[in-house]
């Protein structure tokens, strides 16, 4: 079941990459000095991606745990 552990680690890293992308987008929006309405619109679009990336990362960690239990 080593392949399950490595697959889970890969899925978790993909989720982590999505979270880092969300952080980069939020920092760029803050540095752009946008008005409040534009800032909210930009960050609102990132919230969905952020939640999806968090879900993918948690799913990957669950896969790793299942792989460890089955080993």
């Amino acid at each position: 079941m080593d392949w399950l552990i490595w697959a889970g680690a890969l899925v978790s890293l993909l989720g982590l990459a999505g979270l880092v992308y969300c952080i980069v987008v939020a920092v760029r929006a803050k540095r752009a000095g946008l008005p409040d309405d534009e800032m909210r619109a930009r960050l609102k679009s990132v919230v969905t991606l952020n939640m999806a990336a968090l879900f993918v990362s948690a799913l990957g960690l669950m896969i790793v745990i299942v792989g460890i239990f089955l080993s």
Side-chain angles (χ1 to χ4, degrees), residues 7-19 49-63:
L10 179 66
V11 170
S12 202
L13 285 175
L14 288 174
L16 183 63
L19 289 171
L49 181 60
N50 188 18
M51 293 302 289
L54 187 61
F55 175 74
V56 169
S57 182
L59 186 65
L61 290 175
M62 287 183 219
I63 294 170

Side-chain angles (χ1 to χ4, degrees), residues 1-69:
M1 287 295 153
D2 286 341
W3 64 271
L4 195 60
I5 296 171
W6 286 107
L10 179 66
V11 170
S12 202
L13 285 175
L14 288 174
L16 183 63
L19 289 171
V20 169
Y21 175 74
C22 289
I23 291 169
V24 169
V25 169
V27 168
R28 283 184 185 168
K30 184 176 180 180
R31 287 186 183 164
L34 299 173
D36 193 40
D37 292 338
E38 281 188 47
M39 177 75 80
R40 286 181 191 269
R42 232 182 240 190
L43 292 180
K44 189 183 283 188
S45 67
V46 176
V47 169
T48 306
L49 181 60
N50 188 18
M51 293 302 289
L54 187 61
F55 175 74
V56 169
S57 182
L59 186 65
L61 290 175
M62 287 183 219
I63 294 170
V64 168
I65 296 298
V66 167
I68 290 172
F69 280 147

